[in-house]
Amino acid sequence: MSDPTLLQRVSKALPWLLLVLAIVAPFALSAYDLNLLARFMAMAILALGIVLIWGHGGILSLGQGVFFGIGGYAIAMHMKMADLPEGELPDFMLWSGQESLPFWWAPFASPTFAIAAILFVPVLVGSLFAWAVFHRRVGGTYFALITQALALAFATLIISRQDVTGGFNGLTDFYGIFGVGLSSPGVPAALYWLTLALLVASYCGVRLLLASRFGMLLRAARDGENRIRFLGYNPTPFKVVAFAIAAMLAGIAGALFTLHAGVVSPALIGVVPSIEMVVWVAIGGRYSLAGAIVGALLVNIARDAVSSAFPELWLYLMGLLFILVVTLLPNGLAGLVASKRA
Amino acid sequence: MSSSAVADLLLSVDGVTIDYSGFKALDNFSMTLQRGETRVVIGPNGAGKSTLCDTIIGRVRPSSGRVLFRGEDISGLPEQAIVGRGICRKFQAPGVLPTLSVRNNLALAARKDRRWWKSMGLGIPAAERATIDEVLETIGLAERAGDEAGALSHGEKQWLEIGMVVATGAELLLLDEPTAGMGPAETSRTAQLILGLGASRTVLVIDHDMSFVEQLQASVTVMHQGKFLKQGSIAEIRADAEVAAVYLGHAA
Ligand SMILES: Nc1ncnc2c1ncn2[C@@H]1O[C@H](COP(=O)(O)OP(=O)(O)O)[C@@H](O)[C@H]1O
Ligand SMILES: [Mg+2]
């Protein structure tokens, strides 16, 4: 009984085995499949942020698409600008009769600015928004509704300003990033490894955060906000910082996704995609980082399989899956594997 | 004589009214606590006892009157600032943090620096660890230090929350119904626990259980409909006709 069983050994070794498989995937998968995997891994980075705020902070956000979109549009704007000869306008602006480059487009020509925007605009928007709401001690349900309204407003704004945002079609037709062609030999694999590395780094970072006193206080604020308030803590900053970190992860995810998908558009960041993001995590397990990664990958693989054959069916299927998981498996797939919360 | 009484005055609730849209949960209520004193507040359900605690810790704000702590008006301070001055409260329904271990519940309470950016680290400083171990002994939960607080029995949760309040190092402890849901054995352990806190702490206890009040050997303040009714020793309160009428009137 002191010997670990075979099953225990396998489940201990499994994450490492998967990591090795993920590292060698570019040598085994077709270019198409590798690209899909890279997109889904990008989404898994966002899912880690949802575990942080929803699982451990009790903050349900139905607006993570906004931060995903900020990251996505920031890198897309950079690639649009980088492809451009001096003084010319991006293609879609010409088509919609725009005469000059809007002032807020110009700085995106700089790669440093674009990267800073990907990382810090979500943090800034996320923390200002979360502070404004949590400072007033607005409850969870209202918070979820407000984030959903934010997602709706963001997508609507982009669609309505076609001339400077690309509108409903979004931004697409990118050729290179930081001086290398996106489809040059080796580049897709390098971008895949970059995504994998950022996923692993995000996983380690959030895991450390959850194990720290900060993580403890976040869970304490979730379960007994009044108790910690009357122990002398202000619960607001813990929630705001967690939300800002989740926003940053969503921004990174959006930028990587856009690199792999070659497009960013309102259809990827609005209300429905934002809800789907929560569904990945509900299915994987909202308390578990590993569960969220698995959930994001599995649901997106399933989505790809189903929606290419029956595009109409996917939303119904996802709704059904969500209801089944919430009623039967409140801790998601991770709850099946271990009854203990990660 | 009067100057030492003023020097020993720790808390004074001074003509406080709490108005819930027309309903006065506290109605021009006043009381004082001396340093090191243990005081019991009794009164029928709805008398305003929990509201009194809420007022002292800043959860509700008086529409008139003041709360003075060490001679300073604290009734307008933010909640964290009031805790920072040395007042901590146990809630009526145990407010332990269910998914944290018993030790971590105490660690959050014992933590001296409560600013968020100081929470970005692992582990507990040695000085705080000593406090935690001491409190674990006091509340008799040393054996269960590693268990999730949610897995404790009701009585153990009450003790843990008392321990959290103690671990903050606060000078004034407000204990709202610490023996609710306890049997006689647990109740007398709770009384021992409170008596064992010693003269460095001032304790305001809200409770209904007269055997518990007797074990505490403290003086008693009686509240009724948000108002001060009586104050005195247990024997005096027991013999008081007005107090009896209030309780009997409620039972009838
Ligand atoms: N937030 C509130 N809004 C309205 N009435 C309240 C509120 N909190 C307490 N009360 C009322 O104030 C009275 C005193 O309540 P409380 O202080 O909890 O009494 P006790 O602790 O003595 O049983 C009760 O009648 C209660 O219904
Ligand atoms: Mg009460």
Coordinates of all heavy atoms in Angstrom, one line a residue, chain B residues 108-159:
Chain B
L108 N -4.0 34.6 8.4 CA -4.6 35.9 7.8 C -4.9 36.9 9.0 O -4.7 38.1 8.8 CB -5.9 35.6 7.1 CG -5.7 34.9 5.7 CD1 -7.1 35.0 5.0 CD2 -4.6 35.5 4.9
A109 N -5.4 36.3 10.1 CA -5.8 37.2 11.2 C -4.5 37.8 11.9 O -4.5 39.0 12.2 CB -6.6 36.5 12.2
A110 N -3.5 37.0 12.0 CA -2.3 37.4 12.7 C -1.4 38.3 11.9 O -0.5 39.0 12.5 CB -1.5 36.2 13.1
R111 N -1.6 38.4 10.6 CA -0.8 39.2 9.7 C -0.8 40.6 10.1 O -1.8 41.2 10.3 CB -1.3 39.0 8.3 CG -0.4 39.7 7.3 CD 0.2 38.7 6.3 NE 1.1 39.4 5.5 CZ 2.4 39.3 5.6 NH1 2.9 38.4 6.4 NH2 3.2 40.0 4.8
K112 N 0.4 41.2 10.3 CA 0.5 42.6 10.7 C 0.3 43.5 9.5 O -0.3 44.6 9.7 CB 1.9 42.8 11.4 CG 2.0 42.1 12.8 CD 1.2 42.8 13.8 CE 1.0 41.9 15.1 NZ -0.2 41.1 15.0
D113 N 1.0 43.2 8.4 CA 0.9 44.1 7.3 C -0.1 43.6 6.3 O 0.0 42.5 5.7 CB 2.3 44.1 6.6 CG 2.4 45.3 5.6 OD1 1.3 45.7 5.1 OD2 3.5 45.8 5.4
R114 N -1.2 44.3 6.2 CA -2.4 43.8 5.4 C -2.5 44.5 4.1 O -3.6 44.4 3.5 CB -3.6 43.9 6.3 CG -3.6 43.1 7.5 CD -4.7 43.3 8.4 NE -4.5 42.5 9.7 CZ -4.8 43.0 10.9 NH1 -5.2 44.2 11.1 NH2 -4.5 42.2 11.9
R115 N -1.5 45.2 3.6 CA -1.6 45.8 2.3 C -1.4 44.7 1.2 O -0.6 43.8 1.4 CB -0.5 46.9 2.2 CG -0.9 48.1 3.1 CD 0.3 49.0 3.2 NE 1.5 48.4 3.8 CZ 2.6 49.1 4.0 NH1 2.7 50.3 3.7 NH2 3.7 48.4 4.4
W116 N -2.1 44.9 0.1 CA -2.1 43.8 -0.8 C -0.8 43.4 -1.4 O -0.5 42.3 -1.7 CB -3.2 44.1 -1.9 CG -2.8 45.2 -2.9 CD1 -3.1 46.5 -2.8 CD2 -2.0 45.0 -4.1 NE1 -2.6 47.2 -3.9 CE2 -1.9 46.3 -4.7 CE3 -1.4 44.0 -4.7 CZ2 -1.2 46.6 -5.8 CZ3 -0.7 44.2 -5.9 CH2 -0.6 45.5 -6.5
W117 N 0.1 44.5 -1.7 CA 1.3 44.1 -2.3 C 2.3 43.4 -1.4 O 3.3 42.9 -1.9 CB 2.0 45.4 -2.9 CG 2.3 46.4 -2.0 CD1 3.5 46.6 -1.3 CD2 1.5 47.5 -1.5 NE1 3.5 47.7 -0.5 CE2 2.3 48.3 -0.6 CE3 0.2 47.9 -1.8 CZ2 1.8 49.4 0.0 CZ3 -0.3 49.0 -1.2 CH2 0.5 49.8 -0.3
K118 N 2.0 43.4 -0.1 CA 2.8 42.6 0.8 C 2.4 41.2 0.9 O 2.9 40.4 1.6 CB 2.7 43.2 2.2 CG 3.3 44.6 2.3 CD 4.8 44.6 2.2 CE 5.4 46.0 2.4 NZ 6.9 45.9 2.5
S119 N 1.3 40.8 0.1 CA 0.8 39.5 0.1 C 1.5 38.6 -1.0 O 1.2 37.4 -1.1 CB -0.7 39.5 -0.1 OG -1.0 39.8 -1.4
M120 N 2.4 39.3 -1.8 CA 3.0 38.5 -2.9 C 4.2 37.7 -2.4 O 5.3 38.0 -2.7 CB 3.5 39.5 -4.0 CG 2.4 40.3 -4.6 SD 1.4 39.2 -5.6 CE 0.1 40.3 -6.2
G121 N 3.9 36.8 -1.6 CA 5.0 35.9 -1.1 C 4.5 34.7 -0.5 O 3.3 34.5 -0.3
L122 N 5.4 33.7 -0.2 CA 4.9 32.4 0.3 C 5.3 32.4 1.8 O 6.2 33.1 2.2 CB 5.7 31.3 -0.4 CG 5.5 31.2 -1.9 CD1 6.5 30.3 -2.5 CD2 4.1 30.8 -2.3
G123 N 4.6 31.6 2.6 CA 5.0 31.4 4.0 C 4.6 32.5 4.9 O 4.0 33.5 4.6
I124 N 4.8 32.2 6.2 CA 4.4 33.1 7.3 C 5.6 33.5 8.1 O 6.4 32.7 8.5 CB 3.4 32.3 8.2 CG1 2.2 31.7 7.4 CG2 2.9 33.1 9.4 CD1 1.5 30.7 8.1
P125 N 5.8 34.8 8.4 CA 6.9 35.3 9.2 C 7.0 34.6 10.6 O 5.9 34.3 11.1 CB 6.7 36.8 9.3 CG 5.8 37.1 8.2 CD 4.9 35.9 7.9
A126 N 8.2 34.5 11.1 CA 8.4 33.7 12.3 C 7.6 34.3 13.5 O 6.9 33.5 14.3 CB 9.9 33.6 12.7
A127 N 7.5 35.6 13.6 CA 6.8 36.2 14.8 C 5.3 35.9 14.7 O 4.7 35.5 15.7 CB 7.0 37.7 14.7
E128 N 4.8 35.9 13.5 CA 3.4 35.6 13.3 C 3.1 34.1 13.6 O 2.1 33.7 14.1 CB 2.9 36.1 11.9 CG 2.8 37.6 11.8 CD 2.7 38.1 10.4 OE1 2.2 37.4 9.5 OE2 3.0 39.3 10.2
R129 N 4.1 33.3 13.2 CA 4.0 31.9 13.4 C 3.8 31.6 14.9 O 3.1 30.7 15.3 CB 5.1 31.1 12.7 CG 4.7 29.7 12.4 CD 5.7 29.0 11.5 NE 6.2 29.8 10.4 CZ 7.4 29.8 9.9 NH1 8.3 29.1 10.4 NH2 7.7 30.6 8.9
A130 N 4.6 32.3 15.7 CA 4.6 32.1 17.1 C 3.2 32.4 17.7 O 2.6 31.7 18.5 CB 5.6 32.9 17.8
T131 N 2.6 33.6 17.2 CA 1.3 33.9 17.6 C 0.3 32.8 17.3 O -0.6 32.5 18.1 CB 0.9 35.2 16.9 OG1 1.9 36.2 17.1 CG2 -0.4 35.8 17.5
I132 N 0.4 32.4 16.0 CA -0.5 31.4 15.5 C -0.5 30.1 16.4 O -1.5 29.6 16.8 CB -0.3 31.0 14.1 CG1 -0.5 32.2 13.2 CG2 -1.1 29.8 13.6 CD1 0.1 32.1 11.8
D133 N 0.7 29.6 16.7 CA 0.9 28.4 17.5 C 0.3 28.6 18.9 O -0.4 27.7 19.4 CB 2.4 28.0 17.6 CG 2.9 27.4 16.3 OD1 2.0 27.0 15.5 OD2 4.1 27.5 16.0
E134 N 0.5 29.8 19.5 CA 0.0 30.1 20.8 C -1.6 30.1 20.8 O -2.2 29.5 21.6 CB 0.5 31.5 21.2 CG 0.4 31.8 22.6 CD 1.0 33.3 22.8 OE1 2.1 33.5 22.4 OE2 0.2 34.1 23.3
V135 N -2.1 30.7 19.7 CA -3.6 30.8 19.7 C -4.2 29.4 19.4 O -5.2 29.0 20.0 CB -4.1 31.8 18.6 CG1 -5.6 31.7 18.3 CG2 -3.6 33.2 18.9
L136 N -3.5 28.6 18.6 CA -3.9 27.2 18.3 C -4.0 26.4 19.7 O -5.0 25.7 19.9 CB -3.0 26.5 17.4 CG -3.1 26.7 15.9 CD1 -2.0 26.1 15.1 CD2 -4.5 26.2 15.4
E137 N -3.1 26.6 20.5 CA -3.1 26.0 21.9 C -4.3 26.5 22.7 O -5.1 25.7 23.2 CB -1.8 26.2 22.6 CG -0.6 25.5 22.1 CD -0.8 24.0 22.1 OE1 -1.5 23.5 23.1 OE2 -0.3 23.3 21.2
T138 N -4.4 27.8 22.7 CA -5.5 28.4 23.5 C -6.9 27.9 23.1 O -7.7 27.6 23.9 CB -5.5 30.0 23.3 OG1 -4.1 30.4 23.4 CG2 -6.4 30.7 24.3
I139 N -7.1 27.8 21.8 CA -8.5 27.4 21.3 C -8.6 25.9 21.2 O -9.6 25.4 20.8 CB -8.9 28.1 20.0 CG1 -7.9 27.7 18.9 CG2 -8.9 29.6 20.2 CD1 -8.3 28.3 17.5
G140 N -7.5 25.2 21.5 CA -7.6 23.7 21.5 C -7.7 23.1 20.2 O -8.2 22.0 20.0
L141 N -7.2 23.8 19.1 CA -7.3 23.2 17.8 C -5.9 22.9 17.2 O -5.8 22.7 16.0 CB -8.1 24.2 16.8 CG -9.6 24.4 17.2 CD1 -10.2 25.4 16.2 CD2 -10.3 23.0 17.1
A142 N -4.9 22.8 18.0 CA -3.6 22.5 17.5 C -3.5 21.2 16.6 O -2.8 21.2 15.6 CB -2.6 22.4 18.6
E143 N -4.3 20.2 17.1 CA -4.3 18.9 16.3 C -4.9 19.1 14.9 O -4.6 18.3 14.1 CB -5.1 17.9 17.1 CG -4.8 17.8 18.6 CD -3.6 16.9 18.8 OE1 -2.5 17.3 18.7 OE2 -3.9 15.7 19.1
R144 N -5.8 20.1 14.8 CA -6.5 20.2 13.6 C -6.0 21.3 12.7 O -6.6 21.7 11.7 CB -8.0 20.5 13.9 CG -8.5 19.5 14.9 CD -9.9 19.0 14.7 NE -10.1 18.7 13.3 CZ -11.4 18.4 12.8 NH1 -12.4 18.5 13.7 NH2 -11.6 18.1 11.6
A145 N -4.8 21.8 13.0 CA -4.2 23.0 12.3 C -4.2 22.8 10.8 O -4.4 23.8 10.1 CB -2.8 23.3 12.8
G146 N -4.0 21.6 10.3 CA -3.9 21.4 8.9 C -5.2 21.2 8.2 O -5.2 21.2 6.9
D147 N -6.3 21.0 8.9 CA -7.6 20.7 8.3 C -8.2 21.9 7.7 O -8.0 23.0 8.2 CB -8.5 20.0 9.3 CG -8.0 18.7 9.9 OD1 -7.0 18.2 9.3 OD2 -8.6 18.2 10.8
E148 N -9.0 21.7 6.7 CA -9.8 22.8 6.2 C -10.8 23.3 7.2 O -11.5 22.4 7.9 CB -10.6 22.4 4.9 CG -9.8 22.5 3.7 CD -10.7 22.4 2.4 OE1 -11.9 22.3 2.5 OE2 -10.1 22.4 1.3
A149 N -11.0 24.6 7.4 CA -11.9 25.1 8.4 C -13.3 24.7 8.2 O -14.1 24.5 9.1 CB -11.8 26.6 8.5
G150 N -13.6 24.5 6.9 CA -15.0 24.1 6.6 C -15.3 22.7 7.1 O -16.5 22.3 7.3
A151 N -14.3 21.9 7.5 CA -14.6 20.5 8.0 C -14.7 20.5 9.5 O -15.0 19.5 10.1 CB -13.4 19.6 7.6
L152 N -14.6 21.6 10.2 CA -14.7 21.7 11.6 C -16.2 21.6 12.0 O -17.1 21.9 11.3 CB -14.1 23.0 12.2 CG -12.7 23.3 12.0 CD1 -12.3 24.7 12.5 CD2 -11.8 22.2 12.6
S153 N -16.4 21.1 13.3 CA -17.7 21.1 13.8 C -18.2 22.6 14.1 O -17.3 23.5 14.1 CB -17.8 20.3 15.1 OG -17.2 21.0 16.2
H154 N -19.5 22.7 14.4 CA -19.9 24.1 14.6 C -19.2 24.8 15.8 O -18.8 25.9 15.6 CB -21.4 24.1 14.8 CG -22.1 25.4 14.9 ND1 -22.3 26.2 13.8 CD2 -22.4 26.1 16.0 CE1 -22.9 27.3 14.2 NE2 -22.9 27.3 15.6
G155 N -19.1 24.0 16.8 CA -18.4 24.6 18.0 C -17.0 24.9 17.7 O -16.5 26.0 18.1
E156 N -16.3 24.0 17.0 CA -14.9 24.3 16.7 C -14.7 25.5 15.8 O -13.8 26.3 15.9 CB -14.3 23.1 16.0 CG -14.0 21.9 16.9 CD -13.7 20.6 16.2 OE1 -14.2 20.4 15.0 OE2 -12.9 19.8 16.7
K157 N -15.7 25.8 14.9 CA -15.7 27.0 14.1 C -15.8 28.2 14.9 O -15.1 29.2 14.7 CB -16.8 27.0 13.1 CG -16.6 26.1 11.9 CD -17.7 26.1 10.9 CE -17.6 25.1 9.8 NZ -18.8 24.7 9.1
Q158 N -16.7 28.1 15.9 CA -16.8 29.3 16.9 C -15.5 29.6 17.5 O -15.0 30.7 17.6 CB -17.9 29.0 17.9 CG -19.3 28.7 17.4 CD -20.1 30.0 17.2 OE1 -19.5 31.0 16.9 NE2 -21.4 29.9 17.4
W159 N -14.8 28.5 18.0 CA -13.5 28.7 18.7 C -12.5 29.3 17.7 O -11.7 30.1 18.1 CB -13.0 27.4 19.3 CG -13.8 26.9 20.4 CD1 -14.5 27.7 21.3 CD2 -14.1 25.6 20.8 NE1 -15.2 27.0 22.2 CE2 -14.9 25.6 22.0 CE3 -13.7 24.3 20.3 CZ2 -15.4 24.5 22.6 CZ3 -14.2 23.2 21.0 CH2 -15.0 23.3 22.1

